[in-house]
């Protein structure tokens, strides 16, 4: 994987409004349904790949693998390989991942709170 080089001040690089900012790239990485669901599934736990696949219903092997690698690359989870036969691999959120989890929890709460309102609105629009 090639790492893109960013220029500008740290404030410019964190600016999500700039198309060429590292902040926008990070936001794009983590603001996808699978990443958010993986973060929510991990919570305070350590899970193996199969446990995550069971928790995140509908995710394919490929999408789970890609998102786990991306989350690890961004420092949001730690992948631990235990030297057993076969190798046992576990995933745990880092401190940064736990910080993002607080935001994901808030989004889940928002969804539960406004579910009925959104459902009613969709019905008015025919689906």
């Amino acid at each position: 994987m090639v790492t893109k080089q960013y220029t500008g001040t740290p404030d410019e690089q964190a600016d999500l409004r700039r198309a060429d900012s590292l902040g926008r790239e990070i936001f794009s990485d983590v603001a996808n349904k699978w990443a958010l669901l993986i973060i929510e599934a991990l919570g305070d736990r350590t899970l193996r790949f199969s446990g995550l696949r069971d928790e995140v219903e509908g995710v394919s092997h490929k999408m789970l693998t890609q998102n786990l690698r991306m989350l690890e690359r961004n420092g949001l989870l730690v992948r631990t390989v235990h030297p057993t036969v076969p190798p046992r691999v576990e995933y745990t959120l880092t401190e940064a991942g736990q910080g993002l989890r607080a935001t994901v929890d808030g989004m889940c709460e928002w969804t539960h709170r406004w579910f009925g309102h959104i459902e009613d609105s969709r019905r008015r629009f025919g689906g």
Side-chain angles (χ1 to χ4, degrees):
M1 176 178 290
V2 176
T3 301
K4 187 174 177 182
Q5 296 298 315
Y6 293 94
T7 59
T9 67
D11 285 343
E12 290 170 334
Q13 286 313 306
D15 189 348
L16 295 177
R17 296 170 299 174
R18 289 181 47 151
D20 64 343
S21 73
L22 177 58
R24 172 91 57 103
E25 181 181 317
I26 294 166
F27 186 80
S28 177
D29 278 353
V30 300
N32 78 71
K33 72 178 178 182
W34 298 124
L36 296 175
L37 292 171
I38 290 165
I39 289 166
E40 186 64 19
L42 275 172
D44 292 324
R45 304 181 292 174
T46 296
L47 291 173
R48 295 177 69 179
F49 187 92
S50 59
L52 276 167
R53 193 177 55 226
D54 292 345
E55 289 284 324
V56 182
E57 203 171 301
V59 68
S60 69
H61 183 95
K62 177 183 176 182
M63 289 309 298
L64 183 55
T65 299
Q66 287 177 352
N67 276 274
L68 288 169
R69 287 179 184 159
M70 175 274 298
L71 291 167
E72 182 181 17
R73 176 177 177 257
N74 284 309
L76 300 173
L77 64 76
V78 173
R79 178 179 181 264
T80 305
V81 180
H82 298 277
T84 59
V85 178
R88 190 177 85 233
V89 181
E90 297 177 328
Y91 299 91
T92 307
L93 292 177
T94 63
E95 184 178 353
Q98 288 292 345
L100 181 55
R101 179 178 166 231
T103 300
V104 173
D105 287 347
M107 292 172 68
C108 291
E109 290 170 17
W110 176 88
T111 302
H112 287 269
R113 178 176 180 196
W114 294 102
F115 181 84
H117 170 81
I118 293 168
E119 190 177 40
D120 291 343
S121 182
R122 286 181 172 194
R123 254 189 253 117
R124 286 194 305 276
F125 276 85

